[in-house]
């Protein structure tokens, strides 16, 4: 369960590493608290450095996709430390809170996901993200 000021690891290859939750957008259970499959607004706290000698025109669309520290983006929660109860009675919890960045069309911003994601994403309509993930638990 993630609320305001929670930090999450970004596990896609968009360039962001750590982000801080500033707003919960689609919390269906408890308002203001996000769990697996919920959208949140995040501020990028730590990102991979952008090389200065890259031959990218600053006005091109490729330059717009560069993630910088302080950017405000949307993210989807894919793992939480809080245990998730499955319908068969099992509980699943992960070692960290993690998410992936989304664009305005609610599509994955990166092209890869670098870790496991929860199975509950498929039931909540995020099948594309589940298909890109290397492992689903």
């Amino acid at each position: 369960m993630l609320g305001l000021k929670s930090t999450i690891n970004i596990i896609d290859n968009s360039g962001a590493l750590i982000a801080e939750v500033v707003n919960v957008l689609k919390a269906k259970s408890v308002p203001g608290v996000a769990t697996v499959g919920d959208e949140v607004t995040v501020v990028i706290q730590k990102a991979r450095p952008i090389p200065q000698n890259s031959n990218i025109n600053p006005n091109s669309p490729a330059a717009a996709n560069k993630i910088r520290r302080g950017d405000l983006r949307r993210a989807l929660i894919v793992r939480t430390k809080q245990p998730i109860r499955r319908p068969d009675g099992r509980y699943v919890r992960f070692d960290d809170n993690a998410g992936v960045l989304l664009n305005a069309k609610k599509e994955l911003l990166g092209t890869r996901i670098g870790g496991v994601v929860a199975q509950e994403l498929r039931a909540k309509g995020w099948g594309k993200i589940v298909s890109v993930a290397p492992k689903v638990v």
Side-chain angles (χ1 to χ4, degrees):
M1 301 179 87
L2 301 173
L4 185 66
K5 305 286 279 183
S6 299
T7 59
I8 60 174
N9 296 328
I10 305 297
I11 60 168
D12 60 8
N13 64 344
S14 60
L17 297 174
I18 297 174
E20 180 181 300
V21 176
V22 294
N23 190 15
V24 178
L25 298 174
K26 292 178 78 174
K28 294 186 174 56
S29 57
V30 180
V33 176
T35 184
V36 172
D38 289 339
E39 277 186 74
V40 295
T41 304
V42 297
V43 174
I44 307 303
Q45 296 293 327
K46 187 176 181 184
R48 289 186 192 93
I50 300 169
Q52 294 294 328
N53 58 358
S54 62
N55 297 329
I56 297 176
N57 182 5
N59 298 325
S60 70
N65 284 340
K66 298 294 184 187
I67 305 294
R68 292 183 174 84
R69 184 178 182 277
D71 282 357
L72 196 65
R73 297 285 178 146
R74 286 188 176 203
L76 175 73
I77 306 298
V78 297
R79 294 194 304 243
T80 58
K81 283 185 177 181
Q82 178 75 21
I84 305 163
R85 189 175 190 279
R86 298 261 167 97
D88 60 359
R90 289 182 296 168
Y91 285 91
V92 177
R93 82 169 168 232
F94 297 96
D95 290 338
D96 64 343
N97 298 318
V100 294
L101 295 182
L102 303 174
N103 64 9
K105 298 179 192 173
K106 298 184 181 179
E107 298 167 346
L108 189 62
L109 196 61
T111 56
R112 289 175 157 173
I113 294 179
V116 300
V117 299
Q119 174 182 333
E120 284 77 10
L121 291 175
R122 185 175 283 127
K124 292 189 177 184
W126 298 101
K128 169 72 172 162
I129 291 172
V130 172
S131 66
V132 173
K135 188 167 183 180
V136 180
V137 177

